[in-house]
């Protein structure tokens, strides 16, 4: 039985902490702009300085994703991306870089594919685990059993609306790290969103020793530095995807994401 890379993920986050910085976590969807293009993009963000990568499993109804990621998902789905392509993306990205690679996915595709099959294949590909934004903790026992068996992280998402007792339930069930989602846009000004995220990290840490990584609509080094001031990891997705969407061709897109990863990697160094 193959074992996934939960330990590598934990070691990578611990190494960043030992260097007195936050880890840089990059998100890119599988199959966008193509399956091969996505694999090259993952390599580029790691070359640029990302510590950990999340591979999005494109979904037809991505309720938690904004317009930029929805657009990329649509392109990937129209291109015919399958779960096998997602697994291949994880395998090739991890083999090429040695970095921990997770899959971020809604529950329905895994449920349909089969939990045992998915976890076994993800572990065999060298995957580090899954981020499962819409899987309720109280319905996660089957997933967690198989993830644990295969050495995969189970990363749950917490939000500013999560009450303290709920945070404790979520963090007790999770592994690898906790994904703290801070609401962006209409919820208030930039400053108050930062305050909200910092408060969520503080409350989450009170329940668990797991690292807390923040996905906050971070798109530049200044914001990365702000979040690195209070979080263990800074998660950036849409900013990378937008560069690939806007690029005239793939090589230009790869150069752009590599450069942004470099700027963000500087930003998460707290000095």
């Amino acid at each position: 039985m193959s074992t996934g890379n939960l330990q590598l993920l934990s070691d990578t986050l611990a190494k960043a902490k030992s260097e007195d910085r936050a880890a840089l976590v990059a998100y890119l969807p599988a199959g966008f702009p193509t399956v091969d293009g996505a694999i090259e993009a993952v390599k580029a963000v790691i070359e640029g300085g990302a510590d950990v990568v999340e591979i999005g499993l494109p979904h037809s109804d991505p309720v938690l994703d904004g317009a930029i990621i929805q657009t990329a998902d649509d392109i990937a789905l129209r291109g015919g991306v399958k779960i096998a392509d997602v697994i291949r993306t994880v395998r090739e990205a991890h083999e090429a870089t040695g970095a921990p690679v997770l899959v971020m996915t809604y529950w329905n595709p895994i449920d349909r594919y089969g939990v045992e099959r998915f976890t076994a294949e993800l572990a065999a590909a060298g995957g580090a685990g899954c981020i499962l934004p819409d899987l309720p903790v109280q319905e996660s026992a089957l997933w967690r059993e198989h993830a644990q068996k295969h050495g995969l992280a189970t990363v749950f998402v917490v939000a500013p609306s999560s009450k303290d007792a709920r945070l404790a339930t979520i963090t007790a069930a999770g592994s690898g790290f906790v994904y703290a989602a801070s609401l962006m846009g209409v919820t208030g000004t930039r400053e108050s969103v930062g305050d909200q995220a910092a408060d969520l990290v503080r409350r989450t840490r009170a329940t668990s020793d797991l690292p807390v990584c923040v996905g906050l609509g971070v798109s530049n080094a200044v914001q990365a530095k702000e979040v690195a001031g209070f979080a263990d990891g800074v998660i950036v997705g849409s900013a990378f995807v937008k560069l690939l969407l806007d690029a005239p061709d793939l090589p230009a897109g790869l150069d752009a994401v590599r450069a942004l990863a470099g700027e963000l990697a500087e930003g998460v160094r707290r000095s």
Side-chain angles (χ1 to χ4, degrees):
M1 189 185 77
S2 54
T3 300
N5 272 313
L6 167 58
Q7 192 59 51
L8 174 65
L9 174 65
S10 299
D11 292 347
T12 301
L13 293 169
K15 181 173 182 286
K17 187 176 186 176
S18 75
E19 295 169 359
D20 191 36
R21 65 181 181 88
L24 175 59
V25 183
Y27 167 94
L28 290 162
F32 166 76
T34 60
V35 175
D36 290 338
I39 292 166
E40 292 307 311
V42 175
K43 292 180 195 172
V45 293
I46 294 169
E47 285 162 12
D51 299 289
V52 177
V53 177
E54 305 171 4
I55 303 296
L57 193 158
H59 190 46
S60 52
D61 184 27
V63 288
L64 299 171
D65 292 311
I68 291 170
I69 289 171
Q70 284 188 22
T71 301
D73 276 5
D74 286 344
I75 291 168
L77 291 166
R78 283 205 302 273
V81 71
K82 300 277 186 289
I83 286 183
D85 299 313
V86 178
I87 300 288
R88 185 187 137 213
T89 302
V90 171
R91 176 183 292 108
E92 295 196 12
H94 173 65
E95 282 176 357
T97 64
V101 184
L102 299 114
V103 171
M104 184 163 186
T105 178
Y106 295 94
W107 180 243
N108 190 30
I110 293 183
D111 196 33
R112 285 206 310 255
Y113 195 74
V115 177
E116 169 58 33
R117 180 183 175 199
F118 185 88
T119 49
E121 290 181 8
L122 182 58
C130 262
I131 299 157
L132 300 158
D134 68 337
L135 178 64
V137 172
Q138 60 273 21
E139 293 169 27
S140 68
L142 178 69
W143 163 266
R144 285 187 288 135
E145 176 195 331
H146 289 293
Q148 206 167 357
K149 187 169 85 174
H150 289 291
L152 296 169
T154 298
V155 179
F156 289 114
V157 178
V158 297
S161 56
S162 305
K163 301 280 187 281
D164 290 355
R166 174 103 185 115
L167 287 176
T169 304
I170 294 170
T171 58
S175 55
F177 65 92
V178 181
Y179 187 123
S182 188
L183 309 174
M184 284 297 287
V186 295
T187 51
T189 64
R190 180 69 194 81
E191 289 78 4
S192 72
V193 174
D195 291 345
Q196 235 182 356
D199 178 62
L200 176 58
V201 171
R202 182 186 57 73
R203 292 194 300 120
T204 303
R205 282 201 180 127
T207 70
S208 173
D209 292 331
L210 287 173
V212 184
C213 301
V214 173
L216 215 161
V218 175
S219 59
N220 61 49
V222 173
Q223 292 169 327
K225 192 176 204 69
E226 181 192 348
V227 176
F230 59 79
D232 300 296
V234 179
I235 302 168
V236 180
S238 297
F240 288 121
V241 177
K242 188 174 191 311
L243 290 175
L244 291 170
L245 278 170
D246 292 347
D249 54 38
L250 182 61
L254 297 176
D255 287 344
V257 297
R258 193 181 291 108
L260 176 60
E263 290 164 29
L264 293 165
E266 285 301 306
V268 300
R269 285 165 171 76
R270 300 189 180 110
S271 57

